[in-house]
Amino acid sequence: MYDVPPQGGRRAVVTGASGGLGLEIARRLAGAGAEVVLAVRSLERGERAANQIREAHPGARLEVRALDLADLASVRAFVEGLVGEGRPLHLLANNAGVMRPPRRTETVDGLELQFATNVAGHYALVARLAALLTRSGDARVGWMTSSAAHVGRLDFDDLQATRHYRPFRAYAQSKLADLVLALWLAERVGASGADLASVAAHPGFVRTGLFSAGASVGRDRPRRSLLESRWLPHQEVDWGAEPLLVALTSPEAANGAYYGPAGPAGLVGPATLVRPPRRATREGVGPRLVEALARLTGVEIDL
Ligand SMILES: NC(=O)c1ccc[n+]([C@@H]2O[C@H](COP(=O)([O-])OP(=O)(O)OC[C@H]3O[C@@H](n4cnc5c(N)ncnc54)[C@H](OP(=O)(O)O)[C@@H]3O)[C@@H](O)[C@H]2O)c1
């Protein structure tokens, strides 16, 4: 099991820290001494998660703050709160996500829900936090993607899936977009010399609430998903969180690094460096995505 190096004096934001992988990432960072902001859309679930962390680490320095990534006004308010305090921020774990709502769902900003939560919300968060991160010293942004990114396709003619909505296709597109953004940002900071690293990870297959949460969007009662069955090799959150924890905290993780499980089909096993798929590195794909996101969110990444 990966031991997070000492993080005393460092402050981290973890999105989607109310459960699943985000809670485990927050717990491990807090256990290593980082001050952790649990960025959650339900303060009640966030407080419950914070209490779970305190049970394991009574001295943990935690804060629970409201952030709904599917609402760009909420992203702006969250960042204004952090930036207004003028305190440094060293780690940003872009972890929150939603997967495969059965029907196309639109956010208050008119974006498709998976694209909004997994991509546009995190893009806006990074754009608005970039200045704070770069002046904090030795900062890292970690993007949680998925092996679904390796089969995803960016449909620049219809990023919001208004013409054909297919739940998995929209999810795979969103996770490919996260990886493209991670690599684009890495290249950008490499060129500008900003004191920031951008890294990416995928967790393999972990039986979290992700599958039923997505399947239940727009339904009166919670739905189960076939992906929750035990027929696929899977691992627990402690192992699933490792690729992003390694990317965010290992001294060996370089700007632009991409980690995932080393085991069969990348579904399970210890974290190792993974080669990004060709579709994530294709010439021009990063700038094109960033341009579209700047238009959709009204914010630019200025580095
Ligand atoms: N589990 C896997 O096998 C797997 C595989 C590949 C990639 N991933 C990725 O790993 C990440 C974490 O997923 P998980 O497996 O830990 O799933 P999870 O247990 O369902 O956790 C998802 C988290 O995202 C939060 N979230 C959802 N919509 C949000 C919004 N609009 N604003 C803020 N937070 C929001 C959820 O908050 P609530 O508590 O409010 O719902 C929850 O904390 C996701 O990006 C997912 O795509 C997971």
Side-chain angles (χ1 to χ4, degrees):
M1 189 89 24
Y2 175 67
D3 260 335
V4 175
Q7 299 292 312
R10 290 175 64 78
R11 192 173 189 218
V13 166
V14 181
T15 70
S18 54
L21 294 161
L23 171 54
E24 177 66 8
I25 290 164
R27 187 180 72 77
R28 302 264 282 273
L29 290 175
E35 182 182 338
V36 181
V37 177
L38 284 71
V40 294
R41 61 179 167 171
S42 154
L43 290 176
E44 193 188 329
R45 283 196 291 277
E47 288 297 349
R48 224 180 293 146
N51 285 336
Q52 272 177 257
I53 297 175
R54 285 188 194 105
E55 272 171 33
H57 305 290
R61 291 188 306 151
L62 306 170
E63 240 189 294
V64 178
R65 289 189 181 227
L67 171 66
D68 182 351
L69 287 151
D71 178 351
L72 292 169
S74 169
V75 175
R76 188 174 62 230
F78 173 81
V79 172
E80 279 170 4
L82 274 186
V83 171
E85 290 167 5
R87 299 187 47 219
L89 176 65
H90 307 93
L91 299 173
L92 171 60
N94 287 332
N95 160 79
V98 58
M99 181 188 187
R100 297 171 70 224
R103 277 183 281 279
R104 184 178 183 279
T105 308
E106 220 166 77
T107 67
V108 286
D109 303 300
L111 303 177
E112 186 277 317
L113 182 65
Q114 297 181 85
F115 190 88
T117 310
N118 304 353
V119 189
H122 282 119
Y123 164 87
L125 187 63
V126 170
R128 294 186 180 280
L129 283 173
L132 175 61
L133 284 161
T134 50
R135 67 172 177 265
S136 296
D138 193 21
R140 285 193 205 182
V141 176
W143 303 77
M144 185 70 99
T145 177
S146 163
S147 46
H150 297 228
V151 295
R153 198 180 138 247
L154 292 172
D155 183 355
F156 282 106
D157 293 331
D158 192 20
L159 282 173
Q160 303 311 313
T162 50
R163 289 203 284 273
H164 294 293
Y165 176 73
R166 295 214 180 84
F168 181 76
R169 195 162 149 173
Y171 177 71
Q173 170 178 260
S174 74
K175 291 284 128 182
L176 173 59
D178 284 334
L179 184 54
V180 168
L181 285 175
L183 300 176
W184 174 85
L185 185 61
E187 211 174 299
R188 184 65 175 258
V189 297
S192 74
D195 192 5
L196 181 68
S198 172
V199 289
H202 81 85
F205 186 49
V206 188
R207 288 171 54 251
T208 60
L210 184 71
F211 309 99
S212 56
S216 307
V217 172
R219 310 264 199 196
D220 295 338
R221 270 178 281 154
R223 289 285 174 112
R224 293 189 69 75
S225 158
L226 269 181
L227 288 170
E228 287 173 277
S229 59
R230 293 185 170 269
W231 51 269
L232 273 174
H234 59 271
Q235 54 188 1
E236 300 302 321
V237 283
D238 49 1
W239 283 98
E242 291 216 359
L244 196 62
L245 283 169
V246 170
L248 278 171
T249 64
S250 168
E252 278 149 39
N255 182 38
Y258 176 36
Y259 286 87
L267 294 174
V268 295
T272 188
L273 274 173
V274 178
R275 184 195 288 269
R278 173 88 184 89
R279 61 193 69 210
T281 56
R282 203 164 280 150
E283 179 82 33
V285 70
R288 193 170 177 196
L289 178 62
V290 168
E291 196 186 305
L293 282 163
R295 207 171 341 104
L296 291 167
T297 62
V299 276
E300 290 189 11
I301 296 184
D302 183 17
L303 281 170

